[in-house]
Amino acid sequence: MTTADTLKDIEELQQRCEQYEGISLKLNWDMLRHSPEAGGAEWLVTYEEDVLVGFIGLYGFGGEMEVCGMVRPGYRRREIFTSLWERAQTIIKRNNITTLLLNAPAASLSASGFLKTLPLVFNHAEYQMKWDAAAVPQGSAEASSAAGTVILRPVREGEAHILIELDREGFNMTQEDAAEMFEQQQHEALQEHIMIEMNGQPAGKMRLWTENNETWIYGFTVDRKLRGLGIGRSALQQTIERERRNYNGVNLEVALDNPNALKLYESCGFVILNKQDYYRYTG
């Protein structure tokens, strides 16, 4: 069986699990399709009689690793995921990981049951949000206070250091982790690196990843010294307008402990669809 065949099976299993529990699994498909050497994820699977019954994905982000998995309904309570978790320890130990996070949809009862068996502490939660024209508050569609001065353009060669610094400052990362994460992201063909400019100078950045007419906004941050000027709102509005012209949905994620960002996204018409919980492994 080829890797492409296995990825199709993983996609089918994801759909089956999501429909069964009414959840949304965060499998980071932009990373699943690439090898670890090309900035992708490592993953393990379990088959029974040619049927994919279990999956675990391990996603490296600098010194941090996230883990997410699933087991086919009807095959649960057979220690399938426990076996996958045990096999994954070899991968985890050979990576230089400072923080190991297990991710699960907040509404997943099956995930909750397994997580209780591990030495974990709650780390943070994120909302997955989607833009909805009907959710744009009345009177909030006017131009940003920075409109006319903010433009979005593709990142140019030689600007990697600007993106790395914006990630370091915006997401409280070390310089090393920000640089490593940037290097990993260079291998994704479906991804655009966007520079946000104000008055001709870099003021922020974002990454856009599009597949199946759905665009996800990642790594969205504005220079801390320039916040409060309407730059983020203008960048969001321009992105929404562009993706609507291309008939794409617009999605993003926001941490629950970032109320200012959540308020901004909701004021631009984003609505919460799902909640993902992250637990830090302490074993």
Side-chain angles (χ1 to χ4, degrees):
M1 179 178 288
T2 67
T3 298
D5 290 332
T6 306
L7 288 173
K8 286 181 181 177
D9 289 345
I10 293 171
E11 188 173 11
E12 184 274 331
L13 179 58
Q14 177 181 5
Q15 293 170 354
R16 183 67 59 88
C17 291
E18 289 180 339
Q19 291 168 359
Y20 182 76
E21 288 196 74
I23 58 174
S24 177
L25 288 159
K26 186 182 176 185
L27 296 193
N28 295 302
W29 277 96
D30 54 328
M31 297 180 70
L32 277 185
R33 293 194 177 93
H34 293 82
S35 68
E37 295 75 23
E42 297 189 68
W43 41 270
L44 300 166
V45 293
T46 298
Y47 278 86
E48 289 189 9
E49 298 179 349
D50 296 326
V51 176
L52 178 63
V53 298
F55 161 88
I56 189 169
L58 301 102
Y59 310 90
F61 301 94
E64 187 174 285
M65 178 175 278
E66 294 180 8
V67 179
C68 186
M70 55 188 174
V71 173
R72 184 177 295 275
Y75 289 81
R76 296 174 180 178
R77 301 184 183 278
R78 299 188 191 180
E79 302 295 312
I80 291 172
F81 196 79
T82 298
S83 175
L84 285 166
W85 171 250
E86 291 172 352
R87 289 166 56 195
Q89 298 310 303
T90 302
I91 298 173
I92 293 168
K93 288 173 183 174
R94 75 164 178 255
N95 284 275
N96 186 23
I97 303 303
T98 56
T99 304
L100 180 62
L101 298 175
L102 279 74
N103 158 242
S108 174
L109 296 178
S110 60
S112 177
F114 175 76
L115 294 173
K116 288 177 182 176
T117 69
L118 299 178
L120 303 171
V121 294
F122 180 78
N123 194 75
H124 71 281
E126 290 180 348
Y127 286 135
Q128 293 173 317
M129 307 183 75
K130 186 177 182 69
W131 186 80
D132 183 349
V136 179
Q138 266 197 326
S140 68
E142 68 270 12
S144 154
S145 58
T149 62
V150 175
I151 67 166
L152 275 59
R153 62 164 176 81
V155 168
R156 298 169 185 149
E157 190 173 351
E159 292 185 325
H161 67 286
I162 300 174
L163 302 186
I164 291 169
E165 177 58 23
L166 285 167
D167 273 337
R168 185 199 66 75
E169 179 194 66
F171 300 106
N172 297 315
M173 304 175 71
T174 66
Q175 185 80 12
E176 182 181 11
D177 282 354
E180 182 179 339
M181 189 171 72
F182 175 80
E183 182 60 31
Q184 290 175 339
Q185 293 163 356
Q186 299 315 295
H187 304 281
E188 177 50 61
L190 300 175
Q191 186 167 257
E192 296 177 79
H193 286 268
I194 301 295
M195 186 71 78
I196 303 167
E197 281 190 357
M198 181 173 180
N199 296 330
Q201 297 299 317
K205 42 81 70 174
M206 67 172 73
R207 288 183 292 117
L208 301 180
W209 182 74
T210 303
E211 187 175 29
N212 299 326
N213 292 110
E214 292 292 338
T215 294
W216 282 84
I217 300 173
Y218 293 120
F220 177 37
T221 187
V222 172
D223 188 322
R224 191 168 293 171
K225 300 184 294 294
L226 300 174
R227 291 176 187 173
L229 302 177
I231 297 170
R233 179 179 297 277
S234 176
L236 273 179
Q237 290 172 338
Q238 291 182 53
T239 302
I240 292 166
E241 290 167 6
R242 190 192 88 158
E243 297 308 310
R244 287 186 73 191
R245 288 195 299 269
N246 294 330
Y247 302 101
N248 294 327
V250 188
N251 309 266
L252 51 76
E253 295 172 341
V254 59
L256 269 66
D257 60 359
N258 193 347
N260 290 334
L262 179 61
K263 182 178 178 182
L264 169 63
Y265 299 150
E266 289 181 327
S267 72
C268 289
F270 286 89
V271 296
I272 296 167
L273 294 185
N274 300 288
K275 178 171 173 274
Q276 302 283 337
D277 288 335
Y278 291 79
Y279 297 86
R280 180 167 52 85
Y281 184 71
T282 60

